[in-house]
Amino acid sequence: MDTVQGKTAVITGGASGIGRATAHSLARRGAQVIVADIDATGAAAVASDIIGSGGSATGVRCDVGGESAFEELKAFALDAYGRVDIVMNNVGVLTRGLPDHIPVHEWQRVININLLSVVRSNDAFLPLLVEQGSGHIVNTASFAGLYTYAYDRLPYAASKAAIVQISEGLALYLRPKGIGVTLLCPGPVRTNIAASLPSGFGPATGTRGPGTQFGFLEPEVVGEQVADAIVDGTFWLPTDAQVRDVLVQRASDWDAFIDEKAREIASSD
Ligand SMILES: NC(=O)c1ccc[n+]([C@@H]2O[C@H](COP(=O)([O-])OP(=O)(O)OC[C@H]3O[C@@H](n4cnc5c(N)ncnc54)[C@H](O)[C@@H]3O)[C@@H](O)[C@H]2O)c1
């Protein structure tokens, strides 16, 4: 996509953090943005900020965990702007608990919101984009979907790893049809995501990040990275390029990588 000027973007989780920043970045570049979020007031506030800065946006309440959420979102977007060009599947919720303590219902909650939302989004929006022969999908995964640095968030990591695979498959399918796919893999970003943590399951666990080399980014930096990736047609968008070294290290000797991570965790307990 050479430019986002005049394009319509739908962003889930657009009321806060990375989604909010991306909404602003795309609007500054001339896109009209549907800010979709379970937090209706927050979505309306982001849209109002964008309009106040001279951009075009509409806020809408959308719970991506709902069966009909994306059909309704598509209808809303088409009604508001007549077309959809960019779909950013960005909602993610955290969980925490040891592997033998997280109950199945918590797996179901996280998989439904983080992963099946992407499936439902594809179900609603892919036929539209394929028929148009143009468009761009952004899926927000995480470093947690690329390698493992903690064992107390398996549903989150598994949902993000699945998003990595879905995105790669979609890129293979959609690139020849003129539709771009970006796999956004954020490292630490200063957002409100910790608010999505339920009280833990089982014994308390310490907070572990993806590595001390990764500092926190501001969401505005990530918003600009996403907008650039859409225009450049970039598939893999890690927010910090140092993550490549970690992946190379793991690919070189996966057993040694696990040993090292286990030592790190043991020494920080
Ligand atoms: N912040 C980080 O360090 C980090 C790191 C890696 C990946 N990510 C991913 O980035 C994405 C965005 O998260 P963020 O950090 O900006 O968090 P955030 O909490 O600031 O924003 C997430 C937004 O999603 C909304 N939301 C939650 N559940 C929803 C639902 N069921 N339906 C619709 N909206 C819902 C929230 O209301 C909130 O506005 C997530 O997928 C997250 O997993 C974040």
Side-chain angles (χ1 to χ4, degrees):
M1 188 176 284
D2 296 340
T3 176
V4 300
Q5 174 80 41
K7 303 286 200 276
T8 300
V10 175
I11 302 178
T12 66
S16 175
I18 292 169
R20 175 181 184 279
T22 304
H24 277 283
S25 290
L26 292 177
R28 267 196 305 277
R29 297 178 190 214
Q32 42 223 12
V33 184
I34 309 271
V35 182
D37 204 288
I38 197 167
D39 171 7
T41 310
V46 172
S48 160
D49 284 352
I50 288 173
I51 293 165
S53 314
S56 178
T58 312
V60 63
R61 185 186 186 278
C62 166
D63 175 357
V64 300
E67 278 306 321
S68 57
F70 284 90
E71 283 302 333
E72 289 165 14
L73 191 52
K74 180 173 74 173
F76 181 87
L78 291 176
D79 191 45
Y81 294 114
R83 58 182 295 116
V84 175
D85 302 286
I86 298 161
V87 179
M88 182 173 185
N89 299 307
N90 175 65
V91 172
V93 291
L94 290 173
T95 190
R96 185 184 291 168
L98 295 176
D100 40 356
H101 286 83
I102 296 185
V104 172
H105 67 77
E106 177 64 356
W107 273 90
Q108 288 166 333
R109 182 185 79 91
V110 174
I111 294 291
N112 183 47
I113 294 174
N114 292 9
L115 175 57
L116 292 181
S117 63
V118 177
V119 175
R120 286 191 282 267
S121 172
N122 290 338
D123 198 40
F125 287 111
L126 273 191
L128 196 71
L129 300 185
V130 168
E131 197 184 330
Q132 275 172 200
S134 67
H136 200 102
I137 294 172
V138 180
N139 290 332
T140 305
S142 169
F143 282 9
L146 296 173
Y147 64 97
T148 303
Y149 50 85
Y151 47 62
D152 63 350
R153 62 200 72 165
L154 294 190
Y156 180 78
S159 69
K160 295 300 187 178
I163 290 171
V164 170
Q165 293 303 317
I166 287 176
S167 304
E168 194 169 3
L170 282 180
L172 285 178
Y173 178 58
L174 295 174
R175 264 193 188 180
K177 301 183 193 306
I179 298 158
V181 178
T182 292
L183 169 63
L184 168 63
C185 293
V189 184
R190 219 177 300 282
T191 70
N192 296 316
I193 191 146
S196 71
L197 263 177
S199 47
F201 299 96
T205 57
T207 302
R208 292 191 183 89
T212 51
Q213 68 273 48
F214 302 114
F216 272 86
L217 293 179
E218 296 304 324
E220 289 70 24
V221 174
V222 180
E224 283 296 288
Q225 291 176 334
V226 174
D228 285 343
I230 293 170
V231 171
D232 296 341
T234 305
F235 173 69
W236 190 39
L237 177 58
T239 54
D240 187 325
Q242 295 179 89
V243 76
R244 291 167 206 270
D245 300 335
V246 180
L247 297 181
V248 167
Q249 191 197 349
R250 184 180 72 169
S252 308
D253 189 337
W254 207 327
D255 281 276
F257 182 83
I258 290 172
D259 284 341
E260 190 183 316
K261 286 282 163 227
R263 266 196 305 276
E264 274 173 29
I265 291 173
S267 70
S268 69
D269 274 344

